[in-house]
């Protein structure tokens, strides 16, 4: 359950940022999570719901945006995107000369405060 500690640190960051800017409550937070980040979205969403209770984010809605794993293959010179959490070879041509360009995200994209 490392999602719990990630949820707690994410909450710490957004709560701190909100207070620093003089706001008192958080309405919504949009988070982007890559498929390859190792974070399970369901467990993460649940951890956030539990962790937010004693904070100014208690009424906040957390929107989790999942980013697929994607990259560029120099074997076939194409972009690819897949639903798996990791790949060993290009899903299009089987080459192993590819570069992962997205899918490791774990970031706050948007935040609505009051
Ligand atoms: Zn390829």
């Amino acid at each position: 359950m490392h999602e719990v500690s990630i949820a707690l640190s994410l909450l710490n960051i957004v709560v701190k940022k909100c207070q620093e800017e003089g706001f008192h409550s958080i309405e919504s937070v949009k988070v982007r999570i890559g498929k390859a980040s190792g974070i399970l979205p369901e467990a993460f969403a649940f951890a956030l719901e539990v962790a937010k209770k004693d904070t100014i984010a208690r009424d906040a809605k957390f929107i989790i945006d999942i980013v697929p794993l994607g990259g560029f293959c120099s074997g076939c010179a194409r972009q690819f995107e897949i639903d798996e959490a990791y790949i060993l070879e290009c899903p299009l041509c089987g080459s192993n000369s590819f570069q992962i360009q997205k899918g490791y995200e774990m970031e706050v994209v948007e935040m609505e405060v009051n």
Side-chain angles (χ1 to χ4, degrees):
M1 277 300 273
H2 75 144
E3 282 78 9
V4 173
S5 55
I6 299 165
L8 286 171
S9 55
L10 181 126
L11 269 169
N12 265 331
I13 295 165
V14 295
V15 165
K16 201 168 162 226
K17 185 150 176 53
C18 177
Q19 285 169 337
E20 271 171 11
E21 294 181 13
F23 297 101
H24 307 288
S25 71
I26 300 174
E27 302 287 301
S28 74
V29 181
K30 191 170 176 185
V31 190
R32 190 175 284 157
I33 293 176
K35 267 269 183 191
S37 66
I39 302 169
L40 298 172
E42 296 79 14
F44 187 57
F46 179 75
L48 281 170
E49 290 305 309
V50 175
K52 74 179 188 181
K53 284 194 177 124
D54 297 321
T55 72
I56 58 166
R58 75 180 73 84
D59 297 320
K61 206 172 123 194
F62 287 90
I63 302 148
I64 297 177
D65 194 11
I66 299 169
V67 183
L69 181 61
F72 180 78
C73 171
S74 46
C76 61
R78 282 187 287 181
Q79 294 282 144
F80 58 84
E81 207 170 81
I82 55 159
D83 264 339
E84 314 300 319
Y86 62 90
I87 54 169
L88 298 172
E89 56 184 32
C90 168
L92 304 171
C93 73
S95 160
N96 56 14
S97 43
F98 58 84
Q99 275 188 318
I100 301 294
Q101 295 168 323
K102 59 175 190 171
Y104 289 97
E105 294 82 352
M106 164 42 216
E107 58 197 10
V108 174
V109 201
E110 264 173 45
M111 188 163 124
E112 265 182 70
V113 292
N114 255 324

